[in-house]
Amino acid sequence: MSAIDGLPPLREVIASHELSAKKSLGQNFLLDLNLTAKIARQAGDLSGMDVLEIGPGPGGLTRGLLAEGARKVLAIEKDTRCLPALAEIAAAYPDRLEVISGDALQIDPLAHLTPPIAICANLPYNVGTELLVRWLTPEDWPPFWQTLTLMFQREVAERIVAQPGSKAYGRLAVLAQWRAEARIVLSLPPGAFTPPPKVSSAVVHLRALPEPRFPAERAVLERVVAAAFNQRRKMLRAALKGLAPDIEDRLEAAGIAPTERAEQVSLEQFCALARALA
């Protein structure tokens, strides 16, 4: 990769800018440019696409996205220590990299991007799930993005793609699979990172569906799923009793036995229950 973009290896970048991953920011740096290019390729054909990247750090994945042909990359970085390294990448790719210093939870990327848009990021562990839920639950659908290619802890990745009946199945699986196709496309061991995290990681690719798989009001479905999995060991009639006084009748109307537990209920049944409660 360094031969392609004429920039130094990431270890040299980190050393020259005296960067070290901060635990408080959920940082773990990927230093292998072949690996960051491989992650970028999981996002698909990026030519003609604007790409949003959260937490680029020293810019390994950023360089992969640009080398893979992204029309523009918007990189949002909270750690100001990384900005000089990212500025060097921006100079090597004139007019194709915009870096914003700030909190991704507070910034509207649409003010800086032109559709079609993909999101690709090695997400900071401490905000990854919150960002994913935001991207999956806008009021209007389809969303501003076409695909999400995101790195998570392996456990979180498995929760996104989990099926009913499995221990990993829960709120994330329902919200992700209601409106998107989700699959794990890459696994990474702790040793791929500096410093090595205590757990393995995985890259999940999500493609937005034109419309949700089953009709349901977003806010109602979110409320149902949150209540159901907040007390997943309880029977649904107990876990959901606060949603309606006649919850048993609503469950039966949705084809769900009141004695069922949340992890046994399919996405289609959850949507039917949301309609019954709307």
Side-chain angles (χ1 to χ4, degrees):
M1 178 74 63
S2 56
I4 293 174
D5 59 22
L7 294 166
L10 279 175
R11 288 192 185 278
E12 289 184 18
V13 173
I14 287 174
S16 65
H17 292 285
E18 299 181 346
L19 296 175
S20 58
K22 279 189 175 181
K23 189 174 182 180
S24 63
L25 295 175
Q27 291 175 331
N28 295 94
F29 295 153
L30 270 174
L31 301 187
D32 185 339
L33 288 168
N34 291 318
L35 191 51
T36 57
K38 188 175 183 179
I39 294 168
R41 287 194 291 273
Q42 301 305 315
D45 183 4
L46 296 177
S47 58
M49 301 279 286
D50 279 9
V51 180
L52 171 63
E53 183 187 6
I54 307 298
L61 179 56
T62 314
R63 288 163 67 174
L65 293 167
L66 291 163
E68 288 298 314
R71 179 176 61 195
K72 174 186 175 178
V73 174
L74 172 67
I76 300 176
E77 179 54 67
K78 191 174 185 178
D79 186 354
T80 56
R81 299 175 308 149
C82 296
L83 299 181
L86 295 169
E88 292 173 1
I89 302 171
Y93 289 93
D95 302 319
R96 291 180 58 203
L97 173 61
E98 179 181 358
V99 180
I100 295 180
S101 175
D103 185 344
L105 296 172
Q106 308 295 329
I107 293 168
D108 176 14
L110 279 178
H112 306 268
L113 297 171
T114 303
I117 297 167
I119 301 176
C120 187
N122 171 15
L123 288 176
Y125 284 160
N126 53 357
V127 296
T129 301
E130 182 176 352
L131 283 168
L132 174 63
V133 170
R134 284 192 183 196
W135 291 329
L136 290 171
T137 57
E139 187 63 41
D140 297 323
W141 197 265
F144 74 87
W145 53 269
Q146 291 190 350
T147 62
L148 306 173
T149 307
L150 306 172
M151 188 185 306
F152 295 98
Q153 294 179 14
R154 178 82 197 188
E155 176 189 353
V156 176
E158 289 174 347
R159 283 163 51 201
I160 294 167
V161 302
Q163 296 299 306
S166 67
K167 287 184 178 180
Y169 182 67
R171 171 175 171 256
L172 271 187
V174 173
L175 295 180
Q177 296 170 41
W178 178 46
R179 287 173 152 180
E181 293 176 354
R183 57 194 176 94
I184 293 175
V185 294
L186 200 61
S187 296
L188 297 96
F193 299 87
T194 300
K198 294 180 180 179
V199 295
S200 296
S201 300
V203 177
V204 182
H205 183 74
L206 300 99
R207 181 173 296 278
L209 296 170
E211 56 185 41
R213 293 184 193 277
F214 307 104
E217 285 189 24
R218 176 198 56 82
V220 179
L221 180 63
E222 284 191 73
R223 197 159 59 243
V224 167
V225 173
F229 287 104
N230 189 44
Q231 304 181 69
R232 58 190 301 146
R233 293 188 178 184
K234 288 189 175 183
M235 296 178 187
L236 282 175
R237 66 185 178 197
L240 301 179
K241 63 183 180 182
L243 296 184
D246 57 345
I247 191 63
E248 290 199 27
D249 293 340
R250 308 288 184 103
L251 285 163
E252 288 174 356
I256 304 170
T259 54
E260 201 73 88
R261 288 178 169 80
E263 59 265 30
Q264 301 299 329
V265 177
S266 70
L267 169 61
E268 184 174 9
Q269 289 175 311
F270 271 122
C271 290
L273 178 57
R275 294 195 300 272
L277 287 164

